[in-house]
Amino acid sequence: MLPVEHNDPINARILAVSEDKIAGFVREPFEEIARRSGVGVDLVMARIAAMLRAGTIRRVRQTLLATNLADGALVAWKVPEEKIDRAFDWMFQRDPFSGHVVIRSTDTISAGSEYKLWTTLKVPRGFSLQEHCELLTQKVGAEKFRIMPAKGIFTLGVGHVRRKTIEPGEKADEPAKMIRVEVVDLDEHQWNVLLALKREFNPEEIRPNPWASRAKEAGVSLDEVYRVAESLSARKIIGRFSTFLEHVKPSQTGVRVTRFNALFHWAVPAGREIETGGEVGRHHILTHCYWREAGPEFNNVNIMAVAHGTDKPRLLDHKAAIDRHLESCRIPVSYTNVFWGGRSEIKPSEISPKIYREWLSDSQVA
């Protein structure tokens, strides 16, 4: 029986690459993982399939830069305490457009701490984030919500295995470059190929030439899948080929990838968001870093970042190192805070206009 824990030495070598190092579209992703990890391709495929069956890996899929395909935002919800668990379940189970669903708390009562339910949301082009949130408000009994679209992205990745050994303050030599959020249009043929590409892999699909079956699914040739996928990758619509670890819940044997996730907030002067995001986003511990406008209820926070770890004081050490770096850059911070993740569920946000129309017309939603 193959080892399936993330900390097995061979699995760790594979995951250090497969989590977030295979950027764009790759014709033979498992061969690329093998080349970069130094593990034979047959063993790479066997180990990934075994970890997927065991639940160590939550999903294997071709990711998309969904911010370029649909209107997206981080949404904070104020929900009465007695309704929050039901609201959590509804958004996770019945709203395919809400991705991360997290209950968050702060160490002290502070700006925005009444907003305990946080979700990521994608709404396909032609539909409204505001109207979607108003519909969800009715369904779950929320009192109010705050929509925070990303104005710029500085860091977007996972790599939990790689980040376990990072020291506070470790950072790239240069500031992170901001990716601007610019939604693009696709035609029906491109959507057809893209929807086949992004479907999650089951263990039996972890094999050579993995896109052949997706071409058949889309009703096109394999060469046409390659043509469309590579053209979309060049347009920065394709994200990466990734194995997503189950980092929220313990494995079958009780091993955890992480225990804590922290959403860091900073408020900096208007006009310095790109500079600040670049300096924050260069720190290796962060899996996400965005420019988002949180508004006066959150003391005008405009830079947000996420870090994961197994030790809460260690995450605070990372936060302190970032704060010291901002001070050394003479970037004034008028307010900062940490929102800690508790109960959470993660799924990819659906982005298909066709599926959105079907969802809206469904009797359980309408």
Side-chain angles (χ1 to χ4, degrees), residues 72-138:
L74 180 66
V75 186
W77 303 85
K78 183 181 179 184
V79 181
E81 193 69 34
E82 68 276 10
K83 296 181 179 180
I84 198 164
D85 284 329
R86 187 177 70 83
F88 181 105
D89 292 338
W90 203 98
M91 291 185 183
F92 174 64
Q93 297 169 4
R94 299 176 63 181
D95 180 17
F97 309 95
S98 292
H100 291 56
V101 183
V102 185
I103 294 177
R104 293 192 177 276
S105 61
T106 53
D107 290 331
T108 60
I109 296 176
S110 52
S113 60
E114 61 185 5
Y115 290 84
K116 298 188 182 301
L117 182 61
W118 294 68
T119 63
T120 56
L121 177 64
K122 300 285 190 307
V123 173
R125 291 292 299 277
F127 300 96
S128 165
L129 281 168
Q130 179 71 27
E131 290 177 5
H132 190 94
C133 288
E134 289 171 357
L135 187 154
L136 293 184
T137 295
Q138 297 171 13

Side-chain angles (χ1 to χ4, degrees), residues 3-6 11-12 14-16 18-19 30 33 44-61 161 200-203 206 241-247 249-252 257:
V4 294
E5 296 295 355
H6 76 277
N11 289 346
I14 294 169
L15 292 166
S18 67
E19 280 195 271
F30 302 113
I33 294 167
V44 163
M45 291 188 292
R47 291 295 186 103
I48 290 176
M51 285 188 280
L52 184 58
R53 288 189 180 97
T56 304
I57 290 176
R58 187 173 69 246
R59 60 179 58 94
V60 178
R61 65 185 291 260
V161 170
E200 295 177 19
F201 282 73
N202 61 49
I206 310 299
F241 186 87
S242 183
T243 61
F244 291 84
L245 282 173
E246 175 51 76
H247 65 278
K249 303 167 186 172
S251 70
Q252 294 175 348
V257 177

Side-chain angles (χ1 to χ4, degrees), residues 223-339:
D223 284 342
E224 179 62 6
V225 165
Y226 289 159
R227 186 194 69 79
V228 172
E230 288 165 356
S231 69
L232 296 180
S233 188
R235 293 170 64 188
K236 306 300 183 186
I237 293 169
I238 300 288
R240 61 184 182 272
F241 186 87
S242 183
T243 61
F244 291 84
L245 282 173
E246 175 51 76
H247 65 278
V248 175
K249 303 167 186 172
S251 70
Q252 294 175 348
T253 59
V255 176
R256 285 183 177 270
V257 177
T258 65
R259 292 185 65 86
F260 300 95
N261 81 78
L263 174 62
F264 299 149
H265 282 185
W266 293 273
V268 301
R272 302 195 70 175
E273 297 93 347
I274 296 176
E275 176 192 3
T276 306
E279 295 300 340
V280 172
R282 69 196 290 185
H283 286 79
H284 294 318
I285 191 61
L286 300 176
T287 58
H288 302 75
C289 181
Y290 294 93
W291 171 9
R292 300 185 189 274
E293 299 288 346
E297 288 182 291
F298 291 90
N299 275 349
N300 296 311
V301 160
N302 46 13
I303 300 296
M304 299 184 184
V306 178
H308 298 259
T310 54
D311 183 76
K312 186 174 180 179
R314 182 73 165 178
L315 282 175
L316 290 173
D317 288 343
H318 282 287
K319 168 70 164 51
I322 298 171
D323 291 340
R324 289 193 297 272
H325 178 68
L326 293 180
E327 185 177 2
S328 74
C329 295
R330 298 184 179 179
I331 297 174
V333 176
S334 61
Y335 172 78
T336 186
N337 203 355
V338 181
F339 279 73

Side-chain angles (χ1 to χ4, degrees), residues 137-182:
T137 295
Q138 297 171 13
K139 294 297 179 183
V140 305
E143 295 179 1
K144 55 183 176 178
F145 56 85
R146 172 70 185 177
I147 300 174
M148 296 168 276
K151 303 184 79 169
I153 304 169
F154 301 93
T155 300
L156 184 60
V158 279
H160 297 298
V161 170
R162 287 189 295 104
R163 287 179 169 88
K164 281 180 174 290
T165 58
I166 289 173
E167 294 293 325
E170 286 189 22
K171 58 186 181 294
D173 293 336
E174 299 292 334
K177 302 294 185 185
M178 188 179 83
I179 301 171
R180 293 193 177 275
V181 177
E182 298 173 332

